[in-house]
Amino acid sequence: MNPYASFTIVIFAAALSSVSSFVNPATTSSRVTTHLNLENHIADMIDSEVKRLQNIAGWRREQTEKLKKGRDPSIPAGFDFNSVSDFTPNAGAAQKIQMRKDKRMARDDPARYCADRCVATGNCEIWEEMFEMAADEVQAFCTGCVLSEEEEPCDVPEKFMENAGKNSWELLTP
Protein backbone atom coordinates (compact mmCIF):
# COMPACT_ATOMS: atom_id res chain seq x y z
CA MET A 1 0.00 0.00 0.00
CA ASN A 2 1.08 3.49 -0.69
CA PRO A 3 2.38 5.31 2.40
CA TYR A 4 0.64 8.46 1.24
CA ALA A 5 -2.74 6.71 0.93
CA SER A 6 -3.33 6.44 4.66
CA PHE A 7 -2.28 10.05 5.06
CA THR A 8 -4.78 11.08 2.34
CA ILE A 9 -7.62 9.22 4.05
CA VAL A 10 -6.87 10.93 7.37
CA ILE A 11 -6.82 14.37 5.75
CA PHE A 12 -10.04 13.61 3.86
CA ALA A 13 -11.76 12.48 7.10
CA ALA A 14 -10.54 15.59 8.92
CA ALA A 15 -11.77 17.78 6.10
CA LEU A 16 -15.25 16.24 6.25
CA SER A 17 -15.56 16.68 10.00
CA SER A 18 -14.33 20.30 9.92
CA VAL A 19 -16.69 21.25 7.09
CA SER A 20 -19.73 20.38 9.19
CA SER A 21 -18.48 22.60 11.98
CA PHE A 22 -18.73 25.71 9.71
CA VAL A 23 -22.23 24.99 8.46
CA ASN A 24 -25.22 26.42 10.34
CA PRO A 25 -27.30 23.76 12.00
CA ALA A 26 -30.58 23.11 10.25
CA THR A 27 -33.29 25.41 11.56
CA THR A 28 -36.60 23.92 12.53
CA SER A 29 -38.60 26.96 11.37
CA SER A 30 -38.32 28.35 7.88
CA ARG A 31 -40.59 31.33 8.68
CA VAL A 32 -38.97 34.77 8.76
CA THR A 33 -39.91 36.94 11.74
CA THR A 34 -40.98 40.52 11.15
CA HIS A 35 -41.02 43.32 13.71
CA LEU A 36 -43.30 46.32 13.33
CA ASN A 37 -42.23 49.34 15.32
CA LEU A 38 -45.01 51.92 15.70
CA GLU A 39 -45.38 54.97 17.84
CA ASN A 40 -48.05 54.64 20.51
CA HIS A 41 -50.48 57.15 19.02
CA ILE A 42 -50.31 55.40 15.63
CA ALA A 43 -50.95 52.01 17.25
CA ASP A 44 -53.90 53.51 19.19
CA MET A 45 -55.29 54.97 15.98
CA ILE A 46 -55.11 51.58 14.24
CA ASP A 47 -56.70 49.84 17.23
CA SER A 48 -59.58 52.31 17.36
CA GLU A 49 -60.18 51.90 13.63
CA VAL A 50 -60.28 48.10 14.00
CA LYS A 51 -62.79 48.44 16.86
CA ARG A 52 -64.87 50.84 14.76
CA LEU A 53 -64.95 48.44 11.83
CA GLN A 54 -65.92 45.54 14.07
CA ASN A 55 -68.88 47.39 15.61
CA ILE A 56 -70.02 50.20 13.32
CA ALA A 57 -73.49 50.49 14.88
CA GLY A 58 -72.01 51.02 18.36
CA TRP A 59 -69.52 53.54 17.01
CA ARG A 60 -72.31 55.56 15.34
CA ARG A 61 -74.30 55.53 18.58
CA GLU A 62 -71.28 56.90 20.47
CA GLN A 63 -70.75 59.62 17.87
CA THR A 64 -74.37 60.83 18.06
CA GLU A 65 -74.12 60.94 21.87
CA LYS A 66 -70.96 63.07 21.60
CA LEU A 67 -72.70 65.46 19.20
CA LYS A 68 -75.72 65.78 21.50
CA LYS A 69 -73.44 66.51 24.45
CA GLY A 70 -71.70 69.28 22.52
CA ARG A 71 -74.99 70.90 21.51
CA ASP A 72 -76.42 71.12 25.02
CA PRO A 73 -76.07 74.67 26.29
CA SER A 74 -74.59 74.64 29.73
CA ILE A 75 -73.19 77.21 32.07
CA PRO A 76 -70.03 76.23 33.92
CA ALA A 77 -70.52 75.43 37.60
CA GLY A 78 -69.87 78.41 39.87
CA PHE A 79 -70.11 80.97 37.05
CA ASP A 80 -71.88 84.16 38.11
CA PHE A 81 -72.99 86.90 35.78
CA ASN A 82 -72.02 90.32 37.07
CA SER A 83 -74.47 92.32 35.01
CA VAL A 84 -76.09 92.47 31.63
CA SER A 85 -73.64 95.17 30.57
CA ASP A 86 -70.80 92.63 30.74
CA PHE A 87 -72.20 91.01 27.62
CA THR A 88 -73.12 94.05 25.58
CA PRO A 89 -70.64 95.63 23.20
CA ASN A 90 -68.77 98.64 24.47
CA ALA A 91 -70.21 101.82 23.00
CA GLY A 92 -66.81 103.46 22.67
CA ALA A 93 -65.28 100.44 20.91
CA ALA A 94 -67.13 101.06 17.66
CA GLN A 95 -65.96 104.66 17.58
CA LYS A 96 -62.35 103.65 18.25
CA ILE A 97 -62.47 101.09 15.45
CA GLN A 98 -63.94 103.66 13.04
CA MET A 99 -61.30 106.21 14.10
CA ARG A 100 -58.53 103.70 13.39
CA LYS A 101 -60.00 102.96 9.95
CA ASP A 102 -60.27 106.68 9.20
CA LYS A 103 -56.66 107.30 10.24
CA ARG A 104 -55.46 104.50 8.01
CA MET A 105 -57.53 105.78 5.08
CA ALA A 106 -56.34 109.37 5.57
CA ARG A 107 -52.73 108.16 5.61
CA ASP A 108 -52.92 105.66 2.73
CA ASP A 109 -55.45 107.30 0.39
CA PRO A 110 -56.12 110.99 1.12
CA ALA A 111 -58.37 111.47 -1.92
CA ARG A 112 -60.64 108.63 -0.80
CA TYR A 113 -60.68 109.99 2.76
CA CYS A 114 -61.72 113.40 1.48
CA ALA A 115 -64.42 111.95 -0.77
CA ASP A 116 -65.81 109.32 1.62
CA ARG A 117 -65.49 111.02 4.97
CA CYS A 118 -65.12 114.80 4.67
CA VAL A 119 -67.24 115.74 1.68
CA ALA A 120 -69.84 112.96 1.83
CA THR A 121 -70.44 112.81 5.60
CA GLY A 122 -68.83 115.98 6.93
CA ASN A 123 -66.72 113.90 9.33
CA CYS A 124 -63.18 115.25 8.99
CA GLU A 125 -61.94 114.72 12.56
CA ILE A 126 -58.68 113.06 11.57
CA TRP A 127 -57.39 115.93 9.46
CA GLU A 128 -58.89 118.48 11.85
CA GLU A 129 -56.71 117.03 14.62
CA MET A 130 -53.71 116.37 12.42
CA PHE A 131 -53.51 119.78 10.79
CA GLU A 132 -55.17 121.74 13.64
CA MET A 133 -57.78 123.16 11.29
CA ALA A 134 -61.50 123.83 11.59
CA ALA A 135 -64.03 121.53 9.89
CA ASP A 136 -64.88 124.09 7.17
CA GLU A 137 -61.16 124.63 6.42
CA VAL A 138 -60.63 120.87 5.96
CA GLN A 139 -63.65 120.61 3.67
CA ALA A 140 -62.47 123.59 1.63
CA PHE A 141 -59.02 121.98 1.35
CA CYS A 142 -60.57 118.66 0.25
CA THR A 143 -62.83 120.18 -2.40
CA GLY A 144 -60.34 122.79 -3.57
CA CYS A 145 -57.10 120.79 -3.58
CA VAL A 146 -57.46 117.05 -3.10
CA LEU A 147 -60.61 116.39 -5.12
CA SER A 148 -60.19 119.23 -7.59
CA GLU A 149 -59.50 118.24 -11.17
CA GLU A 150 -58.11 121.65 -12.04
CA GLU A 151 -54.42 121.96 -12.82
CA GLU A 152 -53.95 125.28 -11.07
CA PRO A 153 -52.23 125.35 -7.65
CA CYS A 154 -54.27 125.53 -4.50
CA ASP A 155 -53.69 126.92 -1.03
CA VAL A 156 -52.05 124.18 1.05
CA PRO A 157 -52.40 124.70 4.79
CA GLU A 158 -49.24 125.66 6.63
CA LYS A 159 -49.58 122.76 9.10
CA PHE A 160 -49.70 120.33 6.18
CA MET A 161 -46.35 121.59 4.96
CA GLU A 162 -44.85 121.18 8.46
CA ASN A 163 -45.88 117.51 8.54
CA ALA A 164 -44.95 116.70 4.96
CA GLY A 165 -41.73 114.77 5.67
CA LYS A 166 -42.81 112.99 8.86
CA ASN A 167 -43.64 109.30 9.19
CA SER A 168 -47.24 108.27 9.67
CA TRP A 169 -46.71 107.17 13.28
CA GLU A 170 -45.27 110.59 14.08
CA LEU A 171 -48.33 112.33 12.62
CA LEU A 172 -51.11 110.25 14.10
CA THR A 173 -49.94 109.87 17.68
CA PRO A 174 -52.11 111.71 20.20
Side-chain angles (χ1 to χ4, degrees), residues 75-93:
I75 297 174
F79 186 79
D80 293 329
F81 292 106
N82 294 332
S83 67
V84 177
S85 65
D86 290 346
F87 300 100
T88 58
N90 188 356

Side-chain angles (χ1 to χ4, degrees), residues 11-68:
I11 290 179
F12 183 70
L16 284 178
S17 66
S18 66
V19 169
S20 65
S21 66
F22 291 111
V23 176
N24 287 336
T27 57
T28 56
S29 172
S30 64
R31 186 173 185 174
V32 177
T33 58
T34 305
H35 296 283
L36 185 60
N37 298 318
L38 295 175
E39 293 182 14
N40 289 338
H41 70 279
I42 301 295
D44 292 340
M45 187 172 53
I46 292 170
D47 291 342
S48 64
E49 181 64 15
V50 168
K51 287 178 186 175
R52 185 188 73 84
L53 291 173
Q54 289 173 348
N55 187 6
I56 291 179
W59 178 81
R60 285 190 179 146
R61 206 171 28 256
E62 288 175 4
Q63 293 301 311
T64 55
E65 288 174 8
K66 282 182 185 178
L67 285 173
K68 285 180 185 177

